[in-house]
Every structure is written in structure tokens, then in C-alpha cells.
């Protein structure tokens, strides 16, 4: 099934300052048309099962929304492919395996923290935005990875 719906105000969903904003254009689409497109098209493509922090993430979703609203014009490629660009660096190559292992662990329910975008392994704990809430404690299993990702701008 699909994961939890995460919605936030622009510039507020990731606990980092906004580095840059872009004016992409104006749309003639109505809010109802956007909601219909999201529920009938994007909800089928952007699922919990298809999510991948490195290759199919929120930047790809935002790009698909922009393309719908702006008749094919998406967000800048360096934003869409930020994770791939970051992983092309020597430091990024070192992080790739750790990130993939962290995501695999989360999918299997082994992360056990509020940082898990695939649900919580702790009964009664509601999943949250993967980068929302307080910084991870040093005792969390993936605290080092999360800290490195935040340093890289994720």
C-alpha cells in the first residue's frame, strides 16, 4: 500500500535553511485538476514501494507536479538529480552503500525510529516525515548516515 501522506509548507519540510528558490512560471490548472492528477496518476507512480532515496524521491515527485502544472516544464535538473550528483563525488561514493543498507533496513522494519519513511517497527508510533522532527540521537542505528546526509544537503 501507500505510505503516510506527508504535507508541509514550502521551505519547512526539511530542517535546513532554504538555499535557493525558483520561479517556474504560472499555471492555468485549477487546484481540483491538480488534486485529480495527483490521485489518479502520481499516486500510482510515487508509492512507498517505488520510493528510493537516491533515484525516485521527493525531488522527482516535485518535478512531476511541476511538469503537470507547467505543460511539461519541470524543475531544474540539478535539483531533480541532486542525490545522483552528490553520489558522483568521492565522499558520495563512500556513502552509497551505507545509504542503500539504511534504506533496505527501513523497508524491512529494522530502523525502529521516527526517521523511517516506510513505517515504524515500534507499535503505536506514527511514521513522520523522514527528515522532520529532532535530530537523531547518537544511539540511533543510522545517526552517522543521517548526519552525513544532512551535511550534504539532503
Amino acid at each position: 500500500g501507500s505510505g503516510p501522506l506527508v504535507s508541509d509548507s514550502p521551505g519547512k519540510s526539511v530542517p535546513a535553511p532554504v538555499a535557493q528558490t525558483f520561479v517556474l512560471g504560472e499555471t492555468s490548472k485549477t487546484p481540483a485538476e491538480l488534486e485529480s492528477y495527483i490521485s489518479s496518476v502520481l499516486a500510482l507512480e510515487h508509492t512507498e514501494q517505488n520510493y528510493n532515496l537516491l533515484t525516485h524521491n521527493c525531488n522527482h515527485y516535485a518535478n512531476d507536479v511541476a511538469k503537470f502544472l507547467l505543460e511539461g516544464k519541470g524543475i531544474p535538473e540539478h535539483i531533480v538529480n541532486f542525490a545522483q550528483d552528490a553520489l558522483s563525488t568521492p565522499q558520495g561514493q563512500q556513502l552509497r552503500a551505507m545509504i542503500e543498507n539504511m534504506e533496505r533496513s527501513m523497508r524491512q522494519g529494522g530502523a525502529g525510529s521516527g526517521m523511517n519513511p516506510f513505517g515504524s517497527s515500534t507499535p503505536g508510533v506514527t511514521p513522520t516525515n523522514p527528515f522532520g522532527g529532532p535530530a537523531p540521537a547518537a544511539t540511533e542505528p543510522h545517526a552517522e548516515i543521517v548526519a552525513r546526509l544532512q551535511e550534504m544537503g539532503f
Side-chain angles (χ1 to χ4, degrees):
S2 64
L5 177 61
V6 178
S7 176
D8 208 342
S9 300
K12 305 291 183 197
S13 59
V14 177
V18 174
Q20 195 172 19
T21 60
F22 298 93
V23 176
L24 299 176
E26 294 185 21
T27 186
S28 61
K29 306 284 187 195
T30 66
E33 289 173 311
L34 177 59
E35 289 294 329
S36 175
Y37 184 72
I38 289 171
S39 63
S40 65
V41 176
L42 295 184
L44 302 174
E45 170 68 19
H46 295 276
T47 65
E48 180 179 333
Q49 292 79 18
N50 291 344
Y51 180 87
N52 180 288
L53 180 62
L54 305 175
T55 62
H56 197 259
N57 56 45
C58 58
N59 293 344
H60 297 89
Y61 178 79
N63 189 48
D64 287 347
V65 169
K67 285 180 176 180
F68 171 75
L69 292 173
L70 301 172
E71 307 298 333
K73 178 184 176 186
I75 62 176
E77 284 297 313
H78 73 277
I79 304 278
V80 176
N81 297 315
F82 177 79
Q84 293 302 313
D85 292 345
L87 292 174
S88 69
T89 67
Q91 183 183 20
Q93 286 298 310
Q94 293 174 345
L95 288 174
R96 178 184 288 277
M98 290 190 317
I99 293 167
E100 289 171 347
N101 286 335
M102 178 181 73
E103 186 169 342
R104 190 172 15 266
S105 174
M106 287 179 166
R107 285 188 183 276
Q108 294 169 351
S113 80
M115 295 291 287
N116 185 349
F118 306 110
S120 174
S121 62
T122 307
V125 175
T126 303
T128 60
N129 183 335
F131 297 107
T139 58
E140 286 192 24
H142 306 294
E144 181 181 345
I145 296 169
V146 171
R148 286 189 184 179
L149 285 170
Q150 288 174 336
E151 287 172 9
M152 293 177 71
F154 283 96

